[in-house]
């Protein structure tokens, strides 16, 4: 062993396409931040698996045909890269007041605070989910799932890097401070919580994990999609590349729940149970009953919708007008992309009733993004229902109404059933256990959470995947557990 | 019509609770209860209606709760302490309304500061969520700012960067003059949107104390108790309850118990006639307290305070106020000897008068005092004469009227208890270049001064006899009301505050004046200006020419 401080070659350590070896300022900033990040990962990352080789994909470039490589890695040595989608020649600002002007390669001073705030909020969510999920490794239903969890975790770590890169590179001293603070807040901490509510909730079991990746990572996707439209080109390129990884996170969520549903239906059919609401009988089979899955959906959709903020928002309008944050698939929308004369119908509370109200389109940017999100999520639910139908089980899952159980925005403080009926508090409370996860649901889930560590084996409540990761065979050892 | 009278059972935006020596004043703005249509008071933002209630809270705490020694200002909103003045309200309000709103807001904040400094009722602010703009300015008015240290919550003054106006209700001034933030840091702080949180806020003296979320409530309680220990207020005194203020508004008049106002729209004048005490002063402070809010100096102060506010907001065209009095001058001395005693209630009444006279000082109306036979401008009430821009006294009696000639009389009240916001008494301000005249006046305390004596002593502007009186005053008032009100406002505000600057004069004279200028400029209020466009999503277009 050498007593000398080991020279870190960041160009080797950090796969990048931002010319890191030439950029002294940026390298210096990252050198200062990196040890803190590693400490954070060791303290707050996956608990108990820091020295375990995991078969992970690492992003090494941005070529769509071969951007990643697979191999066994101990997570603290994961190569968190700084990768931006390739620059588009001649790209112009696609919306807002500056529409048609060349995109910015540097932060316009006028929008510095606004941009920094957006980057910080996005950045704060990335490490948060790693923290929320840090204990799940101990109860993974298979090595395949364990590996997927860690894949999501390291990529969220990389997303943090991506945001920290922007802060360091473009926001000077303030940016460095904000980057430090991203490591200081902690999910669920009483004193220094993460900035957004859903990222302070617990993820105590694997159904929660799959719901989280299906619903809450999808919010991440929508946010990244709208930031990918940004006139600030480095932000746009960063987010575009993050989206390629985000797709996998949502795949983990959607396929995880599909496999749970599949297993439940199979088990019911094998046992000859035809009533999906006969919870007692279904639970005897060691699988997750569909009504409980519905209640979990209700919970997760509501917390996630809260992340979209106020439906009618002047902040969102300003960010749009400034060309900083656009709409989902902005460039594919057929309008003038300035919206001065447009309106958008927003569901609002008028005299205690839910009514569609025409708002100026600019002020309704958040409402529209949320609507796009709900459509996107509904696609997944439809696929789940197909599975249920195909299995011959008579049950349909559905997204609860957008006003159900909300804490932020237009519907906060209102009592609304999952069907969208405005009710009083007493009625809500009387139905709470039908609509939201109950203590016995959580206890039951907890009882199912037992680690399965043999390659190729799966917990009783989840079906194996159709294909392996990186086309590996069914009994592949995705995680090499010690002993 | 805007009514400044309210009471706790009518509050829509505040919760007031007391627990022994500590009161909690909790902001819980009802977003659907704005004073006007067209905006919602989201995120604990405020309009004049919210401030009217706060003013009532401040007043009642002082009189109704002698036992309260520390006041905790907090928010019922978990995330947001207060987002400041409502921007849509400001965007839609007339220039006059904005100016009067800010003035009143300033006066309430000064009253909070005065409570801490002079009344032994020490205010602190528990900033449990973002305090932006006017929200932070409100915190600045307290003596101790405790900020939650959660890595997110900030204090900020984003007016310049977001709204193209100033933190105009004391913000700029208190940051430098009260909290003594270094000017370059203040420059950074006042031009950033996001504000400052945690340790830096403490290091820059923007707040006094930090507490993590899990210990926040305990920290608030501990601090409130510590502040309460500094107070000299009594533990077990009975308060004086404020009954609803009697006021009758007629077509051309307003009547209070001890004050009447006559409105003359052709001359654009309001005549305020202050009534002296109907009976001799009670024998002791205890007897005075037994009279409750009927005790003459207190009752009159409430009348006068309400009249000033009412006329300012609801009668903007009455540009000249003629101040008269009626009653028995010698009786007033008896009341003053009670007021001078060391007693919490007597002190509160003195301070109330101090505040009310200061309201008059900053009122943007021409003030003329008319001292006529039958008047009682003695001591406390003589201060009204010294508030005036000019004062006139009838020399002798009215023809065919045996009311004795008017007399002016000075007392200790004119020499220290009722300073102006420049820190000087009105006589010291009046005689700024001639301290010997103050001394001369001091020696005349207790002596009735007729018109000639008052004129010789420089205590009045002019003395007219019965033959000239009506015509001189008619000409004067007609001339005055023909001038541009804008020029008069500016002139009067400049001439009234001679001499030294204090934080208060800087707030009213420098900050507010600049703010009022900005409130007229297209960069703020034009169609492309920041105040108008705020919330529309559109960015303002500025004229970049420096004036
Ligand atoms: Fe992410
Ligand atoms: Fe993700």
């Amino acid at each position: 062993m050498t007593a000398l401080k080991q020279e870190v070659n960041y160009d080797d350590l950090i796969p990048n396409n931002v010319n890191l070896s030439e950029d002294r300022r940026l390298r210096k900033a990252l050198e200062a931040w990196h040890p803190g990040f590693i400490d954070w990962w060791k303290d707050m990352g996956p608990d108990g698996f820091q020295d375990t080789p995991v078969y992970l994909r690492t992003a090494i470039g941005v070529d769509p045909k071969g951007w990643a490589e697979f191999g066994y890695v101990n997570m603290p040595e994961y190569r968190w890269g700084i990768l931006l989608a390739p620059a588009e020649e001649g790209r112009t600002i696609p919306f807002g007041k500056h529409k048609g002007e060349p995109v910015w390669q540097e932060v316009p001073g006028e929008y510095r605070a606004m941009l920094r705030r957006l980057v910080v909020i996005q950045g704060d969510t990335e490490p948060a989910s790693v923290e929320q999920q840090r204990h799940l490794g101990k109860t993974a239903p298979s090595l395949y799932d364990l590996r997927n969890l860690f894949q999501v975790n390291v990529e969220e770590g990389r997303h943090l890097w991506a945001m920290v890169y922007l802060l360091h590179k473009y926001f000077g001293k303030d940016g460095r401070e904000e980057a430090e603070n991203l490591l200081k807040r902690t999910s669920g901490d009483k004193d220094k919580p993460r900035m957004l509510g859903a990222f302070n909730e617990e993820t105590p079991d694997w159904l929660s994990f799959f719901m989280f990746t299906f619903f809450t990572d999808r919010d991440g996707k929508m946010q990244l999609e709208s930031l990918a439209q940004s006139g600030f080109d480095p932000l746009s390129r960063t987010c575009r590349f993050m989206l390629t990884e985000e797709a996998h996170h949502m795949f983990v969520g959607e396929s995880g729940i599909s496999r749970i549903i599949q297993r439940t239906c199979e088990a019911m059919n094998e046992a000859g149970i035809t009533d999906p609401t006969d919870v007692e009988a279904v639970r005897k089979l060691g699988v997750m009953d569909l009504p409980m899955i519905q209640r979990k959906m209700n919970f997760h959709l509501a917390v996630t919708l809260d992340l979209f903020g106020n439906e009618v928002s002047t902040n969102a309008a300003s960010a749009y007008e400034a060309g900083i944050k656009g709409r989902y698939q902005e460039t594919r929308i057929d309008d003038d992309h300035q919206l001065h004369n447009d309106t958008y119908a927003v569901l609002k509370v008028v005299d205690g009733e839910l009514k569609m109200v025409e708002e100026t389109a600019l002020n309704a940017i958040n409402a529209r993004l949320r609507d796009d999100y709900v459509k996107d999520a509904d696609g997944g639910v439809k696929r789940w229902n197909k599975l249920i139908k195909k299995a011959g089980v008579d049950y349909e899952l559905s997204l609860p109404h957008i006003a159900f159980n909300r804490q932020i925005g237009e519907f906060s403080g209102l009592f609304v059933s999952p069907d969208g009926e405005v009710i009083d508090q007493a009625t809500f409370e009387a139905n709470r256990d039908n609509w939201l996860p109950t203590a016995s649901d959580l206890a039951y889930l907890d009882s199912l959470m037992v680690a399965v560590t043999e390659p190729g084996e799966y917990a009783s409540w989840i079906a194996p995947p159709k294909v392996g990761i990186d086309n590996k065979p069914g009994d592949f050892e995705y995680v090499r557990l010690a002993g | 019509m805007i009514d400044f009278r309210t009471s706790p059972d009518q509050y829509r935006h505040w919760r007031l609770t007391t627990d022994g020596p500590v009161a909690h004043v909790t902001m819980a703005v009802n977003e659907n209860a704005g004073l006007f249509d067209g905006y919602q008071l989201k995120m604990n933002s405020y309009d004049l209606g919210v401030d009217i209630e706060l003013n009532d809270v401040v007043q009642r705490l002082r009189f109704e709760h002698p036992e309260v020694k520390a006041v905790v200002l907090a928010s019922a909103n978990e995330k947001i302490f207060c987002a400041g003045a409502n921007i849509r309200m400001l965007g839609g309000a007339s220039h006059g309304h904005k100016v009067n709103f800010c003035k009143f807001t300033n006066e309430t904040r000064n009253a909070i500061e005065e409570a801490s400094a002079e009344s032994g009722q020490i205010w602190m602010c528990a900033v449990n969520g973002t305090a932006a703009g006017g929200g932070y300015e409100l915190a600045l008015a307290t003596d101790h700012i405790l900020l939650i240290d959660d890595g997110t919550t900030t204090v900020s003054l984003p007016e310049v960067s977001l709204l193209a106006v100033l933190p105009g209700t004391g913000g700029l001034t208190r940051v430098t003059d009260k909290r003594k933030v270094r000017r370059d840091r203040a420059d950074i702080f006042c031009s950033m949107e996001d504000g400052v949180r945690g340790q830096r806020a403490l290091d820059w003296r923007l707040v006094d104390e930090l507490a993590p979320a899990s210990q926040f409530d305990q920290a608030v309680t501990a601090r409130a108790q510590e502040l309460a220990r500094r107070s000299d207020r009594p533990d077990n005194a009975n308060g004086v309850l404020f009954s609803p203020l009697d006021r009758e508004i007629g077509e051309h008049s307003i009547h209070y118990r001890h004050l009447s106002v006559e409105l003359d729209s052709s001359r654009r004048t309001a005549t305020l006639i202050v009534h002296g005490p109907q009976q001799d002063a009670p024998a002791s402070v205890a007897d005075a307290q037994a009279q409750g809010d009927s005790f003459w100096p207190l009752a009159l102060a409430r009348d006068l305070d309400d009249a000033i506010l009412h006329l300012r907001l609801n009668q903007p065209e009455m540009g000249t106020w003629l101040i008269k009095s009626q009653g028995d001058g010698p009786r007033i001395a008896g009341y003053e000897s009670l007021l001078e005693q060391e007693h919490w209630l007597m002190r509160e009444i003195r301070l109330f008068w101090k505040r009310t006279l200061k309201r008059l000082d900053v009122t943007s109306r021409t003030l003329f005092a008319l001292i006529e036979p039958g008047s009682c401008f003695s001591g406390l009430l003589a201060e009204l004469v010294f508030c005036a821009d000019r004062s006139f006294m009838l020399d002798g009696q009215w023809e065919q009227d045996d009311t004795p000639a008017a007399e002016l009389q000075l007392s200790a009240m004119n020499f220290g208890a009722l300073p102006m916001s420049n820190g000087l008494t009105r006589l010291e301000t009046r005689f700024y270049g001639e301290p010997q005249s103050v001394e001369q006046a001091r020696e005349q305390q207790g002596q009735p001064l007729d018109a000639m004596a008052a004129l010789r002593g420089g205590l009045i502007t002019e003395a007219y006899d019965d033959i000239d009186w009506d015509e001189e005053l008619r000409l004067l008032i007609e001339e005055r009301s023909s001038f541009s009100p804008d020029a008069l406002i500016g002139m009067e505000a400049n001439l009234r505050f001679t001499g030294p600057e204090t934080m208060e004069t800087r707030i009213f004279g420098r900050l507010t004046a600049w703010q009022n200028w900005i409130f007229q400029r297209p960069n703020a209020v034009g169609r492309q200006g920041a105040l108008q466009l705020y919330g529309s999503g559109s960015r303002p277009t500025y004229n970049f020419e420096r004036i």
Side-chain angles (χ1 to χ4, degrees):
Chain A
M1 296 293 281
T2 167
L4 288 172
K5 185 171 163 248
Q6 213 176 349
E7 184 78 12
V8 179
N9 182 339
Y10 277 87
D11 230 10
D12 290 349
L13 189 71
I14 306 173
N16 73 86
N17 65 348
V18 295
N19 225 347
L20 191 54
S21 57
E22 314 268 291
D23 190 338
R24 248 192 75 232
R25 221 184 112 251
L26 178 61
R27 236 174 39 228
K28 227 178 118 209
L30 286 175
E31 278 165 22
W33 186 79
H34 180 246
F37 170 78
I38 294 297
D39 287 347
W40 167 80
W41 181 271
K42 288 182 176 161
D43 292 345
M44 297 311 301
D47 188 19
F49 296 90
Q50 299 286 356
D51 302 318
T52 309
V54 184
Y55 191 71
L56 291 175
R57 113 184 141 176
T58 303
I60 48 161
V62 294
D63 182 348
K65 279 179 233 117
W67 59 275
E69 62 182 25
F70 283 87
Y72 286 98
V73 187
N74 290 354
M75 284 184 282
E77 282 123 56
Y78 188 76
R79 295 165 69 220
W80 284 282
I82 300 173
L83 297 161
L84 275 58
E88 263 174 47
E89 190 83 33
R91 179 166 179 259
T92 57
I93 298 170
F95 59 92
K97 174 172 158 177
H98 303 283
K99 179 176 175 277
E101 295 172 22
V103 289
W104 302 298
Q105 296 304 334
E106 294 292 336
V107 174
E110 188 182 358
Y111 303 131
R112 181 187 166 114
M114 188 192 287
L115 264 168
R116 187 182 59 217
R117 191 164 50 237
L118 288 172
V119 171
V120 168
I121 290 173
Q122 182 63 39
D124 195 65
T125 65
E126 309 292 356
S129 62
V130 177
E131 294 160 359
Q132 287 168 295
Q133 295 159 12
R134 67 183 302 246
H135 298 298
L136 287 175
K138 289 172 210 145
T139 57
S142 72
L143 293 182
Y144 167 88
D145 290 293
L146 185 59
R147 177 263 165 210
N148 281 352
L149 166 71
F150 294 152
Q151 184 70 54
V152 171
N153 290 164
V154 291
E155 284 174 354
E156 299 302 4
R158 202 200 69 75
H159 291 176
L160 171 61
W161 271 85
M163 291 298 118
V164 165
Y165 159 72
L166 291 173
L167 289 171
H168 279 166
K169 170 87 183 169
Y170 295 101
F171 294 91
K173 189 160 160 262
D174 290 351
R176 289 199 293 280
E177 269 180 39
E178 293 289 3
E180 284 293 319
N181 282 324
L182 288 175
L183 298 176
K184 286 187 187 150
R185 288 183 288 266
T186 306
S187 176
D189 190 274
K190 276 207 303 290
D191 290 335
K192 290 207 163 35
R194 291 291 171 190
M195 296 167 92
L196 304 173
F199 292 92
N200 290 306
E201 296 283 345
E202 282 183 35
T203 311
D205 58 73
W206 278 75
L207 180 58
S208 300
F209 170 66
F210 292 132
M211 288 286 174
F212 186 96
T213 42
F214 181 82
F215 284 109
T216 308
D217 277 77
R218 190 177 309 273
D219 161 70
K221 167 185 158 180
M222 300 309 283
Q223 302 300 335
L224 292 175
E225 286 274 9
S226 45
L227 291 171
Q229 307 292 335
S230 183
F232 177 48
D233 207 40
L235 175 62
S236 162
R237 292 173 55 201
T238 300
C239 291
R240 266 183 276 153
F241 188 71
M242 287 162 78
L243 280 165
T244 57
E245 291 157 317
E246 209 59 56
H248 176 67
H249 307 176
M250 275 169 302
F251 160 79
V252 169
E254 185 176 335
S255 65
I257 293 173
S258 293
R259 288 160 53 215
I260 292 174
I261 291 172
Q262 193 189 331
R263 184 70 203 103
T264 300
C265 293
E266 280 168 10
M268 281 170 59
N269 286 340
E270 284 159 19
I273 299 172
T274 51
D275 178 6
T277 63
D278 188 353
V279 170
E280 213 178 313
V282 174
R283 287 190 182 180
K284 277 198 190 117
L285 308 175
V287 295
M288 297 184 186
D289 49 289
L290 299 176
M292 176 175 72
I293 293 174
Q294 177 66 58
R295 286 191 290 275
K296 281 295 275 181
M297 280 172 60
N298 293 352
F299 172 80
H300 283 270
L301 182 77
V303 246
T304 304
L305 291 183
D306 279 345
L307 293 173
F308 288 84
N310 285 315
E311 285 77 2
V312 177
S313 158
T314 55
N315 279 344
S318 305
Y320 185 87
E321 173 84 352
I324 298 295
K325 187 177 176 191
R327 292 170 294 173
Y328 180 54
Q329 301 190 326
E330 181 71 43
T331 48
R332 292 194 216 161
I333 301 173
D334 182 24
D335 61 18
D336 70 356
H337 303 279
Q338 293 189 313
L339 310 182
H340 288 300
N341 303 313
D342 297 355
T343 59
Y344 184 83
V346 180
L347 190 68
K348 296 187 81 173
V349 186
V350 182
D351 303 325
E353 283 177 54
L354 300 176
K355 285 210 174 94
M356 295 303 282
V357 175
E358 289 293 327
E359 283 287 337
T360 62
L362 270 176
N363 282 338
I365 294 282
N366 280 349
R368 180 178 177 129
L369 190 64
R370 182 211 57 202
D371 289 347
D372 289 334
Y373 167 86
V374 171
K375 262 181 245 153
D376 201 58
D378 200 44
V381 178
K382 288 213 172 83
R383 288 185 286 277
W384 296 337
N385 280 330
K386 257 189 213 148
L387 276 177
I388 300 175
K389 204 168 172 195
K390 202 167 143 205
V393 174
D394 182 21
Y395 195 85
E396 203 167 308
L397 295 167
S398 60
L399 293 179
H401 192 271
I402 53 171
F404 170 73
N405 201 33
R406 298 290 304 280
Q407 310 300 323
I408 289 177
E410 192 61 31
F411 313 115
S412 64
L414 203 66
F415 295 95
V416 179
S417 75
D419 296 339
E421 195 190 331
V422 181
I423 51 180
D424 58 17
Q425 183 170 8
T427 314
F428 187 93
E429 292 306 333
N431 282 288
R432 176 179 285 277
D433 282 356
N434 298 326
W435 295 341
L436 287 166
T438 64
S440 77
D441 288 343
L442 300 182
Y444 177 63
L445 278 173
D446 198 48
S447 76
L448 294 180
M449 293 302 121
V450 181
V452 175
T453 54
E454 280 305 307
E457 289 194 9
Y458 289 83
S460 64
W461 47 268
I462 192 163
K466 286 200 189 71
V467 258
I469 291 295
D470 196 26
N471 287 319
K472 293 295 175 197
D475 59 353
F476 185 71
E477 192 177 10
Y478 289 103
V479 182
R480 286 187 183 143
L481 298 173
Chain B
M1 194 189 78
I2 293 168
D3 196 341
F4 287 84
R5 300 172 307 169
T6 184
S7 55
D9 54 313
Q10 297 175 50
Y11 291 168
R12 288 158 304 176
H13 307 296
W14 295 90
R15 293 205 288 263
L16 170 60
T17 56
T18 64
D19 179 10
V22 176
H24 288 265
V25 174
T26 306
M27 194 175 201
V29 176
N30 177 345
E31 61 179 42
N32 296 316
L35 202 52
F36 303 108
D37 289 339
Y39 55 86
Q40 282 190 305
L41 295 172
K42 293 208 163 145
M43 303 193 292
N44 257 359
S45 62
Y46 58 83
D47 66 358
L48 180 60
V50 177
D51 255 26
I52 287 173
E53 290 181 10
L54 178 60
N55 176 58
D56 191 67
V57 170
V58 177
Q59 281 288 80
R60 283 179 197 271
L61 273 173
R62 294 174 72 169
F63 283 95
E64 299 188 353
H65 294 281
E67 81 288 0
V68 167
K69 303 173 178 192
V71 183
V72 178
L73 181 61
S75 157
N77 185 315
E78 263 177 45
K79 293 249 145 109
I80 290 164
F81 171 72
C82 167
N86 187 280
I87 306 307
R88 288 190 186 225
M89 177 278 294
L90 281 179
S94 71
H95 181 69
H97 183 84
K98 283 201 280 286
V99 169
N100 274 298
F101 164 62
C102 290
K103 185 177 285 176
F104 179 70
T105 302
N106 269 324
E107 289 172 323
T108 306
R109 287 169 189 183
N110 289 343
I112 289 175
E113 240 156 24
E114 187 207 58
S116 300
E118 297 188 52
S119 177
Q121 201 162 65
I122 304 165
W123 285 62
M124 66 171 287
C125 190
V127 182
N128 61 328
T130 301
Y136 178 56
E137 290 182 299
L138 189 55
L140 283 171
T142 68
D143 266 32
H144 188 90
I145 305 177
L146 174 57
L147 174 67
I148 194 166
D149 186 17
D150 60 0
T152 311
T153 299
T154 59
V155 294
S156 65
L157 292 176
E159 283 86 347
V160 169
S161 55
L162 282 184
L163 304 170
V165 298
L166 304 179
T169 40
L172 287 182
T173 318
R174 285 198 175 88
V175 164
T176 52
D177 293 32
K178 181 181 187 180
R179 306 202 60 94
K180 308 199 166 45
V181 175
R182 223 173 60 198
R183 61 171 276 198
D184 49 355
R185 287 175 170 171
D187 184 283
I188 295 172
F189 178 62
C190 298
S191 49
M192 78 202 302
E193 244 175 79
D194 289 353
V196 175
R197 68 192 156 214
Q199 191 60 41
R200 179 181 287 172
L202 187 64
D203 292 344
W204 285 17
R205 290 197 287 272
L206 296 166
V207 303
D208 298 288
E209 186 180 357
L210 300 175
S214 57
Q215 289 151 41
F216 191 70
D217 292 345
Q218 295 99 295
V220 171
T221 306
R223 181 60 58 186
Q225 269 151 11
E226 187 266 324
L227 293 177
R229 281 194 291 274
R230 295 188 207 166
S231 171
D232 63 353
R233 286 172 80 89
D235 294 319
N236 298 310
N238 287 324
V240 170
L241 295 184
F242 278 12
S243 50
L245 195 65
D246 285 335
R247 183 178 79 181
E248 219 175 277
I249 298 189
E251 204 179 337
H252 303 293
S253 65
I254 308 166
H255 290 285
Y256 296 90
R257 270 188 293 179
H258 300 288
L259 172 70
S260 40
V261 181
E262 289 160 10
L263 303 170
D264 180 342
S265 50
S266 65
R267 291 198 306 166
R268 292 194 289 279
T269 59
T271 304
L272 286 75
I273 304 161
V274 172
H275 300 282
Q278 308 275 314
Q279 318 144 6
D280 285 343
S284 66
V285 166
D287 291 348
Q289 183 160 6
Q291 293 185 4
D293 69 350
S294 304
F295 181 52
W296 171 78
L298 174 56
L300 175 58
R302 287 186 72 200
D303 292 347
L304 190 55
D305 194 53
D306 185 73
I308 295 169
L309 294 171
H310 171 80
L311 290 173
R312 271 189 196 168
L313 254 294
N314 298 310
Q315 294 290 352
E317 288 191 5
M318 300 297 150
T320 305
W321 290 3
L322 306 173
I323 301 171
K324 298 186 182 182
S325 65
Q326 254 172 29
D328 185 352
R331 256 190 195 146
I332 295 175
Y335 284 90
E336 287 183 4
S337 64
L338 293 171
L339 290 181
E340 278 156 14
Q341 294 189 31
E342 274 315 310
H343 182 271
W344 75 268
L345 177 59
M346 299 301 116
R347 175 169 71 184
E348 284 307 338
I349 297 172
R350 281 198 313 267
L351 292 171
F352 190 8
W353 268 93
K354 177 182 151 198
R355 292 196 297 283
T356 305
L357 291 166
K358 288 205 289 190
R359 263 204 219 289
L360 206 48
D361 291 333
V362 296
T363 294
S364 59
R365 304 291 190 280
T366 295
L367 304 175
F368 288 159
L370 306 182
I371 312 165
E372 298 171 330
S375 65
C376 55
F377 286 115
S378 175
L380 188 60
L381 296 192
E383 251 345 83
L384 291 168
V385 174
F386 307 134
C387 279
D389 299 299
R390 297 193 213 174
S391 48
F392 305 94
M393 191 160 172
L394 188 88
D395 182 13
Q397 292 173 281
W398 300 122
E399 204 186 12
Q400 292 174 341
D401 185 330
D402 56 6
T403 311
E407 285 169 343
L408 182 67
Q409 189 168 313
L410 301 177
S411 77
M413 283 288 165
N414 308 115
F415 297 92
L418 305 166
M420 296 173 66
S421 57
N422 61 6
L424 305 180
T425 64
R426 285 180 186 76
L427 283 177
E428 284 167 338
T429 305
R430 181 175 185 83
F431 297 125
Y432 192 57
E434 39 186 295
Q436 70 280 8
S437 299
V438 181
E439 284 319 303
Q440 201 179 32
R442 197 190 301 274
E443 280 158 25
Q444 292 178 319
Q445 275 180 74
Q447 300 171 25
L449 304 171
D450 66 14
M452 282 306 128
L455 190 63
R456 264 198 313 278
L459 298 171
I460 56 167
T461 311
E462 203 65 77
Y464 297 121
D465 63 17
D466 160 42
I467 298 168
D468 291 334
W469 181 263
D470 283 347
E471 185 63 2
E472 288 289 346
L473 289 182
R474 181 184 69 78
L475 286 171
L476 176 73
I477 290 165
E478 282 181 7
E479 179 196 53
R480 194 70 169 196
S481 58
S482 71
F483 292 150
S484 155
D486 301 343
L488 285 177
I489 291 170
M491 180 187 89
E492 290 156 1
N494 273 279
L495 299 180
R496 284 177 194 172
F497 299 93
T498 313
E501 286 273 29
T502 62
M503 187 170 79
E504 244 178 75
T505 62
R506 272 171 40 73
I507 287 172
F508 284 114
R510 189 182 286 267
L511 177 58
T512 313
W514 281 111
Q515 177 80 311
N516 293 347
W517 176 72
I518 291 168
F519 273 162
Q520 293 281 51
R521 298 280 301 155
N523 286 337
V525 296
R527 283 216 287 159
Q528 297 300 312
L531 267 191
Q532 291 306 317
L533 289 183
Y534 185 79
S536 71
S538 298
R539 308 269 308 178
T541 313
Y542 296 139
N543 173 353
F544 284 102
E545 197 180 325
R546 289 270 184 142
I547 306 281

